[in-house]
Amino acid sequence: MKPLAFWCVRHRVAVILLWLAALVSMVVLSGAVGTRFSNSFSLPNTESTTALNLLHAASPAIAGDREQIVFHTTDGGKVTDPDVRAAIETMLAKVANVPHVTTIGSPYDATGAAQVSANGQTAFVNVTFDKLAQNMSDAVAKQFVAAAQTANGPHLQVAVSGLLAENANKQTLGGIGLGILLAAVVLYLIFRSGYATLLPLASALASLGTAVSIIGLLSHVLKMPEFSTELVLLIGLGVGVDYALFIVTRHRQGLIAGSPLESSIANAVNTSGRAVLFAGIIVCIALLGMFALGVSFLYGLAVGAAIGVAFTMIAALTLLPALLSFIGPRVLSKRQRKELAETGPRVVGAGTKGFWPRWTTFIRRRPLVPALVALLVVVLVAIPFFAMRLGYSDQGNDPAGTTTRQAYDLLASGFGPGFNGPLLLVTRTPGQANTHELDSLAAAVRAQPGVAKVIPPVLLQPKDGAQVALITAYPTTSPEAGATSDLIDHLRQVTIPSVVAGTGLAVYVGGNTAIFVDFARVLSSKLPLFIGLVVILSFLLLAIVFRSLLIPLVAAVMNLLSIGAAFGIVVMVFQWGWLGPILGIGAPGPIESFLPVMTFAILFGLSMDYEVFLISRVHEEWQKSGDNAGAVQRALAATGKTITAAALIMILVFGAFVLGDMLVIKQFGIGLAAGILMDAFLIRMAIVPALMFLFGKANWWFPGWLDRILPRLSVEPEGADTVSDPEEPGSPAPQPVSV
């Protein structure tokens, strides 16, 4: 780390130019090549996937995406009125010319009466494509929606629902500008220096611009969801500013202590920079651990997020030192420079005045009080986690002005919320299908509580000597409702087996609603494996670095507590609807299926960041003095302000993303902000130091035999406070910096 720091300082122009070249070239190349983000994923060995494969094999023309065009008369007329019918049929002719459209089920056909509401003022059209929505471009989505909306008029409202129509919605990310502004305000309040405020932001934005462009290029190779860029920006902005903040803070402490400029930068990189490197590696490990889940949908997200974190970490270790050498002593505030010139060097955090020295003294004297109070708060907030229901948020949560939300509301009011998510029962019969068996199945499903309507069986082209048929069932409840998930389970486990027993008829419940239910089940079943893998790897890394068994054990338990509290707040806000209207969130609903996995990976890594920054400073003091209580007290007094300031920046950045339209990003923003709040302010500043005071020297117990067989890694180097030029071994002791 020392040679790296000195090289970046002495070749600062080259370093800055290299970063600018990387940023500009990647942005230009990404803009020229474009992106190919896709929300596609596969769930092998699930009923919904089997149903989809059967449909595709028997009739590819109807195995693709299903969209619904909904129209409603606003003047009290009927959709069957001649002028309304003429306008609709003209519009449907245009829709038929949209690429990949195969069939259109008109309400004016002989079998279309079920597509007209009881009052005759609302109707819908089923439009089937030969490809799934995730395999069609946004241009096709916009062309489809535009063609449907040509029928809009003074007395006729037309809206479109479906996954393809969702891709045509222009949902704004929101919060980026506000997040940067809030981060800048906090940085200035901490540093009281415009230069020190801008440097962490410059480092984070330069690295993120490069990373996002690379992720766009990788979307041609890996399947990455549409919101990958937004998620990387959300994570990277907070992480990048925090990493730079820790290094700038340590550098400022070095200058105030009298170190020369180059030595102070090198010492900051060699101490806080090591912690940044180690913490960043843990975050990347936690993110890439999602490969163990075996769900391809998460691979692109994991790689994209890890690239974002890695680039912000590399920028903090290379670009930031180069920028710091340009700024020189101006990284200090005017008052600090004046005090340094008048009174000379001093050690930051060595005094007894101020909040943090008083707080650490209080914890040292009464460790049980803050530990128990903070633990009680965290546990109470985490309790709602056990009521978490995974699923997917349907289009009833889209912004009110979008075509998908309008279509959802029209279908719900005209037919019932279940018409927004039909279930597709795909049957397979060896040889010629027995229509009596299919009719019996349709009748049994129709009689099932929770089913609003069933479309009679449709025989498809025989394939490989087997007859495939399709039965469409509309639930009485919305796609995201828990009752709909229960209905799918009941159909699969009770209703269908009781009808097809002994008939040779195989039935699979599919459709988008069933796919997302299966997705939630697959992720839930693999979540314990993922959690165990990440916890064990982080435990081993911390044990190797700090030569302790108790510290990594406490870290793992505390990380799980803070993540549980984060999930508890997510449940309160999104599932129970607390503060929903204030935060611009629609109706209460389930938590996105992949959110626990992603949030766990991100929060576990970020929580480990604060653990590493705090414990590395404690370990540094412990190695100097051998006094556990004194080491904990001095380390907390020196790092408490920085850690809580870094956490506040992350909370504000993450929280600002609630202002956007994307519900999944809102959930990530609230979850990450809540987790950081609990972890930094309650766990790292109260529970962890209190436990370290209580455990005493047991914190540093490590079996001798284990110490001999494990490799040696160190976050904090020996002699970190007096870093000499690696090219001049006999460098004199550092002198006060010139101001």
Side-chain angles (χ1 to χ4, degrees):
M1 299 300 288
K2 287 188 292 185
L4 173 65
F6 276 111
W7 190 93
C8 291
V9 168
R10 291 176 177 173
H11 300 85
R12 52 185 176 269
V13 175
V15 171
I16 294 173
L17 290 178
L18 284 173
W19 270 102
L20 284 176
L23 174 61
V24 173
S25 60
M26 288 298 102
V27 170
V28 171
L29 183 60
S30 179
V33 175
T35 60
R36 191 177 292 175
F37 292 108
S38 170
N39 293 324
S40 64
F41 60 90
S42 59
L43 296 172
N45 304 318
T46 60
E47 268 203 38
S48 55
T49 299
T50 304
L52 182 63
N53 293 338
L54 275 176
L55 275 180
H56 183 76
S59 182
I62 68 168
D65 183 47
R66 284 192 170 198
E67 304 286 306
Q68 290 172 310
I69 302 176
V70 189
F71 40 97
H72 172 75
T73 57
T74 58
D75 59 353
K78 306 291 186 182
V79 295
T80 53
D81 292 343
D83 56 337
V84 176
R85 176 170 179 171
I88 296 301
E89 289 182 337
T90 300
M91 175 267 289
L92 294 181
K94 296 177 182 178
V95 171
N97 293 324
V98 174
H100 306 296
V101 171
T102 56
T103 61
I104 299 177
S106 173
Y108 304 117
D109 295 339
T111 59
Q115 296 169 224
V116 180
S117 65
N119 62 9
Q121 295 180 349
T122 306
F124 67 90
V125 172
N126 289 317
V127 181
T128 307
F129 293 77
D130 60 6
K131 287 187 176 183
L132 295 175
Q134 56 263 30
N135 297 325
M136 290 183 279
S137 66
D138 289 348
V140 172
K142 292 176 182 177
Q143 182 181 350
F144 168 60
V145 173
Q149 291 183 332
T150 56
N152 261 325
H155 307 296
L156 184 64
Q157 179 185 3
V158 180
V160 189
S161 71
L163 296 180
L164 187 64
E166 189 81 63
N167 294 339
N169 286 342
K170 293 182 179 180
Q171 293 190 343
T172 60
L173 176 60
I176 294 181
L178 179 61
I180 294 173
L181 177 61
L182 293 175
V185 170
V186 175
L187 287 171
Y188 185 78
L189 292 175
I190 297 169
F191 293 141
R192 301 291 180 175
S193 165
Y195 290 105
T197 297
L198 293 176
L199 291 185
L201 293 173
S203 175
L205 292 176
S207 57
L208 277 178
T210 308
V212 167
S213 299
I214 292 175
I215 291 167
L217 294 173
L218 283 177
S219 66
H220 293 270
V221 181
L222 290 174
K223 292 181 179 179
M224 292 187 173
E226 295 283 350
F227 58 88
S228 296
T229 298
E230 289 79 4
L231 184 61
V232 171
L233 287 173
L234 184 149
I235 301 168
L237 187 57
V239 171
V241 173
D242 270 19
Y243 287 168
L245 168 65
F246 283 111
I247 293 176
V248 171
T249 300
R250 192 63 181 254
H251 170 51
R252 282 161 53 96
Q253 292 174 353
L255 291 179
I256 294 172
S259 294
L261 179 65
E262 287 190 8
S263 295
S264 178
I265 296 173
N267 181 64
V269 173
N270 203 31
T271 51
S272 294
R274 284 174 177 250
V276 165
L277 178 63
F278 185 73
I281 290 173
I282 289 183
V283 176
C284 292
I285 287 174
L287 289 167
L288 296 176
M290 287 189 289
F291 275 81
L293 294 171
V295 179
S296 60
F297 176 79
L298 298 175
Y299 295 168
L301 277 179
V303 171
I307 288 174
V309 171
F311 268 76
T312 57
M313 175 183 68
I314 295 170
L317 299 176
T318 56
L319 176 60
L320 184 62
L323 294 173
L324 286 172
S325 66
F326 266 117
I327 301 305
R330 288 173 295 180
V331 74
L332 298 174
S333 67
K334 290 182 179 180
R335 189 182 72 176
Q336 288 174 323
R337 280 180 278 166
K338 182 179 179 181
E339 290 177 351
L340 186 58
E342 292 177 352
T343 63
R346 61 184 177 86
V347 178
V348 178
T352 58
K353 296 181 179 180
F355 171 78
W356 290 107
R358 291 197 300 270
W359 174 248
T360 54
T361 301
F362 170 72
I363 295 181
R364 183 174 183 176
R365 291 175 178 173
R366 300 177 180 84
L368 280 177
V369 175
L372 291 177
V373 171
L375 183 62
L376 179 63
V377 172
V378 174
V379 170
L380 288 175
V381 173
I383 289 176
F385 162 67
F386 297 100
M388 178 180 286
R389 181 171 68 87
L390 299 183
Y392 83 105
S393 299
D394 57 34
Q395 294 176 344
N397 291 287
D398 287 354
T402 59
T403 187
T404 49
R405 174 63 180 275
Q406 293 171 357
Y408 182 96
D409 292 340
L410 289 174
L411 279 173
S413 61
F415 302 90
F419 277 71
N420 285 284
L423 305 179
L424 306 181
L425 279 66
V426 183
T427 70
R428 185 179 186 275
T429 308
Q432 189 65 31
N434 186 323
T435 56
H436 175 71
E437 294 174 353
L438 294 176
D439 290 339
S440 298
L441 174 63
V445 173
R446 189 178 295 112
Q448 175 66 43
V451 175
K453 195 172 191 63
V454 175
I455 305 300
V458 176
L459 297 179
L460 304 178
Q461 183 69 30
K463 187 70 175 178
D464 299 329
Q467 178 74 63
V468 177
L470 173 64
I471 300 174
T472 303
Y474 293 96
T476 58
T477 50
S478 66
E480 71 175 18
T484 304
S485 299
D486 295 338
L487 172 63
I488 292 173
D489 291 338
H490 191 78
L491 290 175
R492 288 173 170 175
Q493 299 168 12
V494 179
T495 305
I496 293 174
S498 65
V499 174
V500 303
T503 64
L505 183 67
V507 184
Y508 306 95
V509 180
N512 287 331
T513 303
I515 287 174
F516 285 110
V517 168
D518 289 341
F519 187 37
R521 302 280 165 76
V522 169
L523 289 181
S524 297
S525 65
K526 296 186 177 184
L527 188 59
L529 170 65
F530 171 66
I531 292 175
L533 177 65
V534 173
V535 169
I536 290 173
L537 284 176
S538 61
F539 178 90
L540 290 175
L541 281 173
L542 288 180
I544 291 172
V545 168
F546 296 120
R547 312 314 268 190
S548 166
L549 294 181
L550 194 56
I551 286 176
L553 178 62
V554 171
V557 173
M558 292 299 107
N559 286 359
L560 293 176
L561 271 177
S562 66
I563 294 170
F567 288 154
I569 292 178
V570 169
V571 169
M572 294 180 203
V573 174
F574 293 94
Q575 190 172 314
W576 295 354
W578 295 10
L579 302 178
I582 297 175
L583 298 174
I585 298 167
I591 309 304
E592 291 291 341
S593 304
F594 57 89
L595 184 118
V597 174
M598 285 293 300
T599 303
F600 177 85
I602 298 166
L603 274 181
F604 196 91
L606 297 182
S607 298
M608 199 61 74
D609 285 0
Y610 298 125
E611 178 75 6
V612 169
F613 288 123
L614 174 62
I615 301 301
S616 63
R617 194 61 179 262
V618 175
H619 193 230
E620 184 180 333
E621 298 291 339
W622 159 257
Q623 288 186 320
K624 291 178 182 177
S625 65
D627 175 15
N628 175 77
V632 175
Q633 185 171 5
R634 289 190 296 273
L636 184 59
T639 62
K641 179 181 177 181
T642 305
I643 290 176
T644 52
L648 180 59
I649 290 174
M650 275 202 183
I651 292 168
L652 293 174
V653 170
F654 292 154
F657 281 80
V658 177
L659 299 177
D661 295 331
M662 301 178 68
L663 184 64
V664 63
I665 296 299
K666 288 176 181 281
Q667 291 187 356
F668 273 116
I670 292 292
L672 294 176
I676 296 299
L677 174 67
M678 293 292 165
D679 188 87
F681 287 90
L682 294 180
I683 290 178
R684 306 304 160 192
M685 295 297 102
I687 299 177
V688 168
L691 291 177
M692 294 192 75
F693 281 128
L694 289 171
F695 293 146
K697 290 187 177 181
N699 288 308
W700 311 107
W701 179 79
F702 201 60
W705 63 270
L706 196 57
D707 182 60
R708 289 188 295 271
I709 64 175
L710 289 179
R712 291 190 175 272
L713 298 174
S714 178
V715 174
E716 68 287 334
E718 295 182 8
D721 293 327
T722 57
V723 178
S724 300
D725 187 338
E727 297 178 5
E728 301 178 14
S731 300
Q735 299 299 317
V737 65
S738 172
V739 295

